[in-house]
Amino acid sequence: MKSIHPLPDPGGLPIASVERETGLSKDTLRVWERRYGFPTPTRDANGERVYAPDQVRRLAQIKRLLDRGHRPGKLLALDDAALAALDQVLGASPASPADAQLECWLERVRNHDTEALQRLFFQELARRGLSAFVQDIFAPLIVRVGEAWSRNEIGIFEEHLFSQHMERLLRTALANMTPTGGTPRVLLTTLSGEEHHLGLLMVEALLVTEGAEPILLGPQTPIEEIVRAAQLKHADVVCLSFSSAFAPTQAAKALRELRTALPSQRQLWAGGAGVKGIRKPLEGVSLVPEFQELFDCLAAWHQQA
Amino acid sequence: MKSIHPLPDPGGLPIASVERETGLSKDTLRVWERRYGFPTPTRDANGERVYAPDQVRRLAQIKRLLDRGHRPGKLLALDDAALAALDQVLGASPASPADAQLECWLERVRNHDTEALQRLFFQELARRGLSAFVQDIFAPLIVRVGEAWSRNEIGIFEEHLFSQHMERLLRTALANMTPTGGTPRVLLTTLSGEEHHLGLLMVEALLVTEGAEPILLGPQTPIEEIVRAAQLKHADVVCLSFSSAFAPTQAAKALRELRTALPSQRQLWAGGAGVKGIRKPLEGVSLVPEFQELFDCLAAWHQQA
DNA sequence: ATTTCATATTTGTCTAGGACAAACTCTTGA
DNA sequence: TCAAGAGTTTGTCCTAGACAAATATGAAAT
């Protein structure tokens, strides 16, 4: 019974922690080491791998690029500079008007200035409305914060404080809306193993503004229970959220399983960065990598009904 | 990238799915098979394990009993009947005056009647006030729901729906209070490995009603980040929450470590069912197994200041 | 009768390569 | 421009041994 968090004495992490932090399985971590010579964990007195924090961050960075479609063979051969360059390519993408604004938010996150964040939140919410706020500010901001963390620009504490504060604000905004009786009824949850739940809140916000009725189930529901919940709550649609940490092949597998277990008249939608890695379309499953497609799905549902 | 013959047979599951559904790691599943002769998966054309749905259900049941404190060696030797019997055992709780009322709430949870729960919530909140509501209704109710789940009286779905709904209601109630500027400033979080976060919300509610200023950091913060957060946010107190699922020895170890890493002028409080198993008092750490003690701690702080 | 310590058992996670099918890339031919 | 085939890359699964942390057991001491 090895302890789960072998208190990082020298600041190195054991393989289980690295799996949790990066979303790369233990098997993958070991096989990369064997094949590509990276990462290069040291060993503790017991012969077990100990990963340096720098390498963990690098693994997280590689994982992000992997999710964007790059291949391991290429990425693992690159050095820090080339990796950072690739990271910037997409990050600095279109110097969009909102870009400077996001940087402004990010600065507040870095300084853990919760009061300023709160002010910005209500200001932008009033200006844009909930739906546009979530799409233009909130979602990109979460991505940026994740990137900033993997680049070591902010710590776990800043990331947690940001998430917690944003969750509170978003829930406050949602509390004032009355979502009863709309259609379609959408069951919202994540699969076991997926911990990120801010995505669910964002989807809930969009659904509410579109007049649908979300049924928020919280994260980590086993497939069998999702099926039962959909039936008992008379859901028209089951919508799952996948973060980029969720392995696309696992996601596809689980979706296929769920699709066969679910009565065919209930639709199945899958959203989040985690579905971008699914290339082949799955029969009877609507993939919703971007929020925009969510509106298409809603429209299609209404037309069908 | 092994795929998993997704559903060739009517319902055998590959090991990865069983891991996801039961929460037992692949390693554990394999070593149980080796040691105890259970489970007994068949093999597909490819030599890979295929688990029968019945066995998966049984594994989930075993996992529940495991979390309740039973040991694998015993459980895996039992047959279906004995296992079911163990599931029922925990039954009779002491009949307290509020007992009938809690039973009434519980009935609503069983029927996933969210509207009735919402009505009850606001009714009781208005009658008792936030602080008494949390202590007399909310906290005991969470315990009951957990028990009901482990007795298999309710499913994961009902438990999730309840948690999610209660979290929303509690946050709504908290949103209307203005917690700025109070003392002491209390940093609220859980350690890595501890997922239950409703306890944090409850503590937040109590602190707010007492005029203190909670700083909610969300769950799963590593120790070094807690130290940094306490410093940067000028927290007077660091308060951690431990659910009963958290091993007491781990908790004690982590608390000792945190205590030495934290400047001595910052107090350290540890609350929740998980600290009840800590026998020895820890120097410089206030153990707060019940909410009542939280008020004592607050009073002591004010006196000292 | 309870606490404390030392010893024995139980139990989950780690290790090592080898193997293989699915996913992906690249070529070839219409 | 697309389709089919051949070749490469890549993640997950396999076996079986090892070991430390967690827990149980028994003996000695308060």
Side-chain angles (χ1 to χ4, degrees):
Chain A
M1 237 163 273
K2 242 141 221 195
S3 97
I4 300 191
H5 260 280
L7 306 168
D9 325 281
L13 296 174
I15 195 169
S17 300
V18 179
E19 173 181 45
R20 215 176 60 72
E21 304 247 342
T22 63
L24 297 163
S25 78
K26 296 181 184 106
D27 275 327
T28 300
L29 289 167
R30 285 193 275 251
V31 88
W32 278 9
E33 184 182 338
R34 203 197 313 166
R35 285 192 188 137
Y36 310 112
F38 184 89
T40 55
T42 56
R43 301 301 178 118
D44 66 7
N46 197 16
E48 296 177 0
R49 292 172 175 81
V50 175
Y51 293 83
D54 275 354
Q55 297 208 342
V56 177
R57 255 188 299 277
R58 184 162 195 209
L59 286 167
Q61 189 178 30
I62 289 174
K63 177 60 161 54
R64 273 213 326 282
L65 291 167
L66 220 57
D67 294 337
R68 282 186 194 161
H70 295 272
R71 306 214 62 194
K74 315 277 181 186
L75 292 175
L76 286 160
L78 297 176
D79 58 2
D80 279 345
L83 219 51
L86 263 185
D87 224 7
Q88 300 301 332
V89 165
L90 276 148
S93 51
S96 74
D99 211 49
Q101 186 160 29
L102 281 179
E103 191 46 49
C104 164
W105 283 77
L106 213 50
E107 190 56 29
R108 304 302 197 282
V109 175
R110 275 195 203 96
N111 302 336
H112 29 87
D113 185 348
T114 45
E115 277 128 40
L117 280 174
Q118 184 156 349
R119 229 177 306 118
L120 277 173
F121 178 90
F122 284 115
Q123 189 178 317
E124 288 299 322
L125 186 60
R127 184 195 298 175
R128 297 167 187 260
L130 184 56
S131 180
F133 172 77
V134 166
Q135 291 177 76
D136 300 340
I137 303 282
F138 202 94
L141 188 56
I142 288 172
V143 174
R144 292 299 182 89
V145 169
E147 289 174 359
W149 172 77
S150 75
R151 274 189 233 122
N152 206 17
E153 293 171 16
I154 63 170
I156 294 180
F157 146 55
E158 282 86 1
E159 194 270 339
H160 274 205
L161 195 64
F162 161 75
S163 298
Q164 205 59 39
H165 202 58
M166 285 295 121
E167 180 169 357
R168 155 167 309 177
L169 292 171
L170 194 52
R171 289 188 109 119
T172 305
L174 278 169
N176 300 326
M177 314 186 76
T178 57
T180 47
T183 57
R185 295 167 62 83
V186 182
L187 188 76
L188 281 173
T189 187
T190 71
L191 292 177
S192 319
E194 170 63 71
E195 304 205 346
H196 297 82
H197 62 287
L198 273 179
L200 294 177
L201 274 183
M202 292 193 280
V203 174
E204 184 186 10
L206 296 189
L207 289 175
V208 166
T209 59
E210 291 298 306
E213 179 164 6
I215 305 165
L216 197 55
L217 208 54
Q220 315 232 49
T221 312
I223 290 179
E224 218 179 309
E225 289 289 312
I226 295 177
V227 174
R228 201 163 64 82
Q231 187 190 353
L232 286 169
K233 299 299 279 186
H234 307 103
D236 301 305
V237 177
V238 172
C239 181
L240 300 180
S241 165
F242 296 90
S243 76
S244 60
F246 207 96
T249 49
Q250 298 264 350
K253 186 169 57 171
L255 284 169
R256 270 193 294 267
E257 247 177 71
L258 182 54
R259 179 67 274 181
T260 58
L262 216 54
S264 59
Q265 79 271 14
R266 298 197 209 286
Q267 294 198 6
L268 178 54
W269 302 350
V275 305
K276 286 182 186 166
I278 302 177
R279 305 293 172 94
K280 280 191 184 172
L282 300 166
E283 186 143 5
V285 182
S286 303
L287 299 181
V288 191
E290 301 289 343
F291 287 123
Q292 193 49 53
E293 276 103 324
L294 187 65
F295 297 113
D296 302 340
C297 286
L298 274 171
W301 188 89
H302 278 118
Q303 196 169 14
Q304 196 179 4
Chain B
M1 250 167 253
K2 211 149 238 194
S3 89
I4 286 192
H5 302 243
L7 310 126
D9 324 359
L13 294 176
I15 196 168
S17 298
V18 178
E19 173 181 48
R20 189 159 34 69
E21 299 292 312
T22 62
L24 297 163
S25 77
K26 297 182 186 92
D27 276 327
T28 301
L29 289 168
R30 285 192 276 251
V31 89
W32 279 7
E33 182 183 339
R34 204 199 309 170
R35 285 194 189 134
Y36 309 113
F38 185 89
T40 56
T42 57
R43 301 300 179 116
D44 65 6
N46 198 16
E48 296 177 2
R49 292 173 174 79
V50 176
Y51 293 84
D54 275 353
Q55 297 209 340
V56 177
R57 253 188 299 278
R58 185 163 196 209
L59 286 167
Q61 187 180 29
I62 290 174
K63 177 60 160 51
R64 274 208 324 275
L65 291 167
L66 220 56
D67 290 339
R68 212 197 269 175
H70 294 273
R71 308 215 57 196
K74 316 274 180 186
L75 292 176
L76 285 161
L78 297 175
D79 58 3
D80 280 344
L83 219 51
L86 263 187
D87 236 1
Q88 304 301 331
V89 166
L90 210 75
S93 315
S96 77
D99 211 46
Q101 186 160 28
L102 282 179
E103 191 46 51
C104 164
W105 282 78
L106 212 50
E107 188 57 30
R108 304 296 149 71
V109 175
R110 274 195 203 95
N111 301 335
H112 29 86
D113 185 348
T114 44
E115 275 128 43
L117 280 174
Q118 183 156 352
R119 229 178 304 117
L120 277 172
F121 178 90
F122 284 115
Q123 189 178 314
E124 288 298 323
L125 184 61
R127 183 194 299 173
R128 297 167 188 262
L130 183 55
S131 181
F133 172 76
V134 166
Q135 292 177 76
D136 300 341
I137 303 284
F138 202 93
L141 187 57
I142 287 172
V143 174
R144 292 301 181 89
V145 169
E147 287 174 2
W149 171 74
S150 77
R151 260 185 255 129
N152 210 15
E153 292 171 17
I154 62 170
I156 293 179
F157 146 55
E158 281 87 0
E159 193 270 339
H160 275 204
L161 196 63
F162 161 75
S163 298
Q164 206 59 41
H165 203 58
M166 284 297 122
E167 180 170 356
R168 156 167 312 178
L169 292 171
L170 194 52
R171 290 188 106 118
T172 305
L174 278 170
N176 300 326
M177 314 186 75
T178 58
T180 47
T183 57
R185 295 168 60 85
V186 182
L187 188 76
L188 281 172
T189 187
T190 71
L191 293 177
S192 316
E194 170 64 71
E195 304 206 348
H196 296 83
H197 62 287
L198 273 178
L200 293 178
L201 274 183
M202 291 192 282
V203 175
E204 185 186 9
L206 295 189
L207 289 175
V208 166
T209 59
E210 293 297 308
E213 179 166 2
I215 305 165
L216 196 56
L217 207 54
Q220 315 232 47
T221 311
I223 289 180
E224 51 184 307
E225 288 290 312
I226 294 176
V227 174
R228 202 162 64 82
Q231 186 191 351
L232 286 168
K233 300 299 280 186
H234 307 103
D236 301 305
V237 178
V238 172
C239 179
L240 299 181
S241 164
F242 295 89
S243 75
S244 56
F246 206 96
T249 49
Q250 296 261 348
K253 193 164 119 192
L255 283 170
R256 267 191 298 270
E257 196 181 332
L258 182 54
R259 179 66 277 180
T260 59
L262 216 53
S264 58
Q265 78 270 15
R266 297 195 209 287
Q267 296 199 3
L268 178 55
W269 302 350
V275 305
K276 287 182 186 167
I278 301 178
R279 307 291 174 92
K280 283 188 181 175
L282 300 167
E283 185 144 4
V285 182
S286 304
L287 297 182
V288 191
E290 301 290 343
F291 287 122
Q292 192 49 52
E293 277 103 325
L294 187 65
F295 298 114
D296 303 340
C297 285
L298 273 171
W301 188 90
H302 277 118
Q303 195 168 15
Q304 195 179 3

